[in-house]
Amino acid sequence: MEILRILAGPIIGAVIGYCTNYIAVKMLFRPYRPIKVFGKTLPFTPGIIPKRQPDLARAVGKAVGDNLFGEVEIKGILQSDEVKNTIIGGITDSIENAIDGETVRGTIMKLASSEESYDNKKDTIADFLSVRIIEGIKSLDIAEIITKQGTSAIKQMGGMLAMFVNESMVSSMAGPISEKFVDYLEGEGYFKIHQLVENEINEIEGWSMDHIIGEHRLDKIRTAISDLYDKMLGDKIADILNAFDVEGIVEEKIVSMDVEELETLILSVMKHELGMIVNLGALIGMILGLINLLVL
C-alpha cells in the first residue's frame, strides 16, 4: 500500500499532464465550428486555428510573397539557365514543328480562318504591291531618264542620226512619251503588273518553309527570343509579379481549405512535435508529483 501511495502522486500527475496537453493540442483544431447554446457561442469554440484561419492565411501569404517567393526569387527562377532554355527551346521547337514539311501556303493557311479569307488577303496583298510598284515608277522622272538614256544611246550609235538628234530634241519627245507611259501604267499596265505580282505570290506559296527559314535563320530566331526574354524580365518583372500575386494566391487557398483538410496538412508537418508536447505534459506532471511527495 505504501508503494501505491508513493507511485500514485507521480502517476496521477503524469496522467493529468498528458491529458491536459492532449486536450490543448486538440483545441488548436477542435471543434471545427462554433457551438451555440441559447444563441450564445461557447468559449473556445471553434478551435484556435479554425477561428483564426483568415488571419493565418493572410500571415502565411505575406510571408511566402515577401520572403519566400518575392521578386528576387521569381526573377532568379525565370533567369536560371534551365527555365530559360526550356522556354526558349519550347518556342523554337514549336516553330520547327509548325514549318516541318510545310509550304508557305500551308503555314499561312493554319493562321487563316478559312480558304476564302486567305484568298481575299492574298488578293489584297497583290493589289497593294501592284499599286506600290506603279507609284514607285511614277515617282521617277521618266522624261529625264528617257532624255539621258535616249541621248546616250543615239550618240553611241553614231552616224548621221547622232549629228541631227540632240538632247534638246530627245527631251521634247520625252515629255509626251512619259505622259503616255504613265497613262498606260494606270490603265492596262496595272493589270499586267498585277498579274506578274500574282504569279510571283503563287510561286512563293509553293516554297518550302524549311528552305525559307533554314537552320541559320532558326539560330537567329533563338537569339532574338532569348534577347526578348531577357528584356521582358528586366522591364516587366513587376508586372509578372502582379500577375502571379503569390501572396493573394496563398491566402485564398488557405482560406478556402476545409478545416479538416487544414488540420491534416498541419499535422502532416508537425505531428511529431505536437506529440512531443503531449508527452512533455506527462513528464512535467510526473515530476510535479514526485516534488509533491518530497515536500509532503
Side-chain angles (χ1 to χ4, degrees):
M1 293 296 293
E2 185 66 23
I3 295 176
L4 288 177
R5 188 184 70 80
I6 295 173
L7 294 178
I11 291 174
I12 292 172
V15 172
I16 293 173
Y18 181 91
C19 292
T20 302
N21 281 19
Y22 179 82
I23 292 171
V25 169
K26 284 298 180 181
M27 287 180 66
L28 290 172
F29 307 97
R30 311 292 178 89
Y32 295 139
R33 292 166 185 83
I35 299 174
K36 294 183 178 292
V37 177
F38 303 115
K40 300 291 185 180
T41 302
L42 292 180
F44 307 111
T45 65
I48 295 173
I49 290 179
K51 187 174 183 179
R52 302 296 300 275
Q53 187 172 353
D55 297 329
L56 174 65
R58 194 176 304 110
V60 173
K62 186 171 180 58
V64 173
D66 291 348
N67 303 317
L68 302 181
F69 211 57
E71 179 175 343
V72 175
E73 289 75 22
I74 292 180
K75 193 170 183 178
I77 292 171
L78 295 177
Q79 283 184 327
S80 66
D81 291 338
E82 182 179 359
V83 172
K84 180 178 177 180
N85 291 336
T86 299
I87 293 174
I88 295 173
I91 295 173
T92 52
D93 287 346
S94 298
I95 294 173
E96 288 185 86
N97 292 333
I99 67 173
D100 185 29
E102 282 284 359
T103 61
V104 173
R105 179 183 176 86
T107 301
I108 298 176
M109 278 298 298
K110 290 181 179 179
L111 305 176
S113 57
S114 65
E115 183 86 21
E116 181 181 359
S117 173
Y118 171 81
D119 290 336
N120 289 337
K121 286 182 173 58
K122 189 173 74 170
D123 290 339
T124 300
I125 292 172
D127 291 340
F128 174 78
L129 291 176
S130 300
V131 171
R132 295 296 293 172
I133 290 171
I134 289 174
E135 289 179 351
I137 295 174
K138 287 168 61 178
S139 67
L140 300 174
D141 191 342
I142 298 174
E144 183 180 356
I145 294 173
I146 293 174
T147 300
K148 289 185 176 180
Q149 296 300 321
T151 303
S152 175
I154 291 172
K155 286 181 178 180
Q156 289 178 2
M157 291 171 60
M160 295 293 293
L161 184 62
M163 292 176 61
F164 290 101
V165 178
N166 54 34
E167 184 173 340
S168 177
M169 187 179 296
V170 174
S171 177
S172 65
M173 294 184 292
I177 293 173
S178 173
E179 292 175 2
K180 291 293 183 182
F181 181 69
V182 170
D183 291 340
Y184 173 80
L185 281 177
E186 293 176 341
E188 184 181 349
Y190 168 81
F191 297 102
K192 290 186 177 295
I193 291 174
H194 192 280
Q195 185 61 52
L196 290 173
V197 171
E198 278 189 338
N199 292 339
E200 288 297 318
I201 292 176
N202 291 335
E203 182 178 348
I204 292 172
E205 281 183 321
W207 289 1
S208 166
M209 289 297 296
D210 294 326
H211 171 71
I212 293 175
I213 294 180
E215 186 61 34
H216 178 64
R217 288 188 176 87
L218 276 175
D219 288 338
K220 288 188 174 181
I221 292 174
R222 291 189 188 98
T223 302
I225 294 173
S226 177
D227 293 341
L228 182 63
Y229 183 84
D230 291 335
K231 187 176 188 306
M232 179 193 71
L233 288 185
D235 298 342
K236 301 294 183 180
I237 188 65
D239 295 337
I240 293 172
L241 280 175
N242 291 333
F244 273 117
D245 188 18
V246 175
E247 180 177 338
I249 292 172
V250 173
E251 181 178 344
E252 181 183 353
K253 289 294 183 183
I254 294 178
V255 167
S256 63
M257 287 178 70
D258 185 77
V259 179
E260 295 181 40
E261 186 181 0
L262 184 60
E263 179 185 12
T264 302
L265 175 64
I266 294 176
L267 288 179
S268 68
V269 178
M270 301 181 61
K271 186 174 183 180
H272 176 72
E273 287 74 14
L274 294 176
M276 290 293 293
I277 291 175
V278 173
N279 294 331
L280 182 61
L283 179 61
I284 292 174
M286 180 181 292
I287 293 173
L288 291 176
L290 291 172
I291 294 174
N292 186 56
L293 282 176
L294 294 175
V295 171
L296 296 177

